[in-house]
Amino acid sequence: MCGNIESAFRVFDQMEDRNVISWTSMITGFAKHGVAARALEIFCKMLETGTKPNEITFVAVLSACSHVGMISEGRKHFNSMYEVHGIMILEQEPDDPAAYILLSNLHAPAGQWRDVNKIRKSMKERNLIKEAGYSWIEVENTVHRFHVGDTSHPQAWEIYREPDQLAAKIKEMGYIPDTDFVLHDVEEEQKEQFLFQHSEKIPVAYGIISTTPSKLIRIFKNLRVCGDHHTVMKYISMATGREIVVRDSNRFHYMKNGVCSCKDYW
């Protein structure tokens, strides 16, 4: 979906014939926008019509619960997935790391670390790894893609100078780097540098220097946004007066005046 969830729902609502694909697409849309209640409402209506959900439907339902911390609701649907509908995600996609990560994310908010470690161990035994992170932004109909430490862009010097300036500005506003998100054994100062070179911060910098102040900055990321980056984006939206949308692997984050639509839960 392009990010306009209400427009998508209007199209869905006007459909005369809906199948598992259309129902699941709508559930996924609401889930990724963090509107869990609407996602679950659509899921219930789907069941009422007699449409049989598949494993992709349940990934969307469980994601909706995970994004807003609905642990008991998530467990209920997880159990019904197998007991009522005869579906087990890990059996359907035994070599897909996304299924394991989803289940891990359901256990982690509840502090069920034994279950989390069990899932991670299973991933290790199957040699399943997460893909490398990258982010991209579209400016003037051209997609600009960035990896960590990527200096191949023609405006690299100008782009990398912007995060340093932003870092100084938002630190004055109260931002404190959360270096726990840097998994490297290096000095604290270098950890802060790593944080500001995350792939998702660079396209934001490019968006700021390449677009007019009134234009919304829309960033896409292939992985889940980390906690420090999320905090940085909120500060940048406040410091620059820019509206920023970050679409990570979980959902959309709409940031304006230092506040995010996810209410800091994703």
Side-chain angles (χ1 to χ4, degrees):
M1 295 191 179
C2 63
N4 192 334
I5 188 63
E6 292 303 332
S7 292
F9 180 72
R10 283 195 292 271
V11 173
F12 172 80
D13 200 38
Q14 293 171 5
M15 294 177 65
E16 295 183 0
D17 296 316
R18 300 168 185 156
N19 56 21
V20 64
I21 296 174
S22 53
W23 283 105
T24 299
S25 297
M26 201 65 251
I27 295 168
T28 301
F30 280 123
K32 290 189 177 298
H33 282 76
V35 194
R38 300 270 308 265
L40 296 178
E41 178 185 342
I42 295 294
F43 178 61
C44 289
K45 289 182 178 179
M46 173 186 177
L47 296 179
E48 289 173 1
T49 66
T51 305
K52 183 176 177 58
N54 58 25
E55 64 273 15
I56 301 174
T57 310
F58 275 103
V59 167
V61 170
L62 295 177
S63 295
C65 296
S66 173
H67 295 343
V68 296
M70 298 173 65
I71 305 304
S72 60
E73 188 76 11
R75 277 194 171 279
K76 182 186 78 173
H77 290 296
F78 179 77
N79 291 333
S80 72
M81 179 175 61
Y82 177 73
E83 295 171 0
V84 179
H85 302 281
I87 298 171
M88 189 60 186
I89 291 179
L90 296 185
E91 292 179 0
Q92 297 279 343
E93 301 288 344
D95 297 319
D96 183 3
Y100 293 82
I101 293 168
L102 172 61
L103 294 179
S104 177
N105 288 344
L106 276 174
H107 289 297
Q112 297 160 348
W113 301 114
R114 181 177 297 179
D115 293 319
V116 171
N117 291 332
K118 184 178 178 181
I119 293 169
R120 289 175 178 171
K121 181 180 178 181
S122 181
M123 289 183 66
K124 187 175 181 180
E125 290 172 348
R126 292 177 176 272
N127 293 319
L128 301 178
I129 58 174
K130 294 171 64 176
E131 62 180 316
Y134 60 88
S135 302
W136 66 96
I137 181 173
E138 182 176 341
V139 177
E140 299 295 335
N141 297 319
T142 300
V143 175
H144 302 263
R145 178 167 158 169
F146 300 91
H147 295 266
V148 175
D150 182 9
T151 59
S152 63
H153 196 279
Q155 295 175 260
W157 183 83
E158 186 180 2
I159 295 170
Y160 276 90
R161 184 179 62 176
E162 185 67 20
D164 292 336
Q165 297 173 345
L166 287 171
K169 183 180 294 186
I170 66 176
K171 281 182 178 179
E172 292 178 357
M173 300 173 67
Y175 163 68
I176 300 175
D178 190 345
T179 55
D180 288 343
F181 288 97
V182 179
L183 304 179
H184 299 283
D185 186 17
V186 295
E187 296 296 325
E188 199 70 13
E189 184 177 348
Q190 193 173 355
K191 285 186 176 183
E192 291 189 21
Q193 186 178 6
F194 280 153
L195 285 174
F196 263 84
Q197 289 181 351
H198 274 192
S199 66
E200 60 268 31
K201 296 184 177 72
I202 305 307
V204 170
Y206 183 68
I208 291 174
I209 66 175
S210 304
T211 61
T212 60
S214 61
K215 189 172 181 61
L216 180 146
I217 297 174
R218 192 182 299 269
I219 306 298
F220 297 86
K221 179 175 174 60
N222 68 323
L223 302 177
R224 178 182 182 273
V225 64
C226 86
D228 181 77
H229 166 317
H230 190 266
T231 300
V232 167
M233 292 299 103
K234 291 194 299 179
Y235 269 103
I236 290 177
S237 72
M238 187 163 45
T240 62
R242 303 291 293 266
E243 293 184 39
I244 302 173
V245 175
V246 179
R247 166 67 168 87
D248 69 2
S249 62
N250 275 2
R251 59 166 294 163
F252 285 88
H253 300 262
Y254 295 86
M255 302 181 184
K256 182 178 180 180
N257 297 326
V259 179
C260 182
S261 60
C262 76
K263 297 180 174 60
D264 299 334
Y265 200 111
W266 72 101

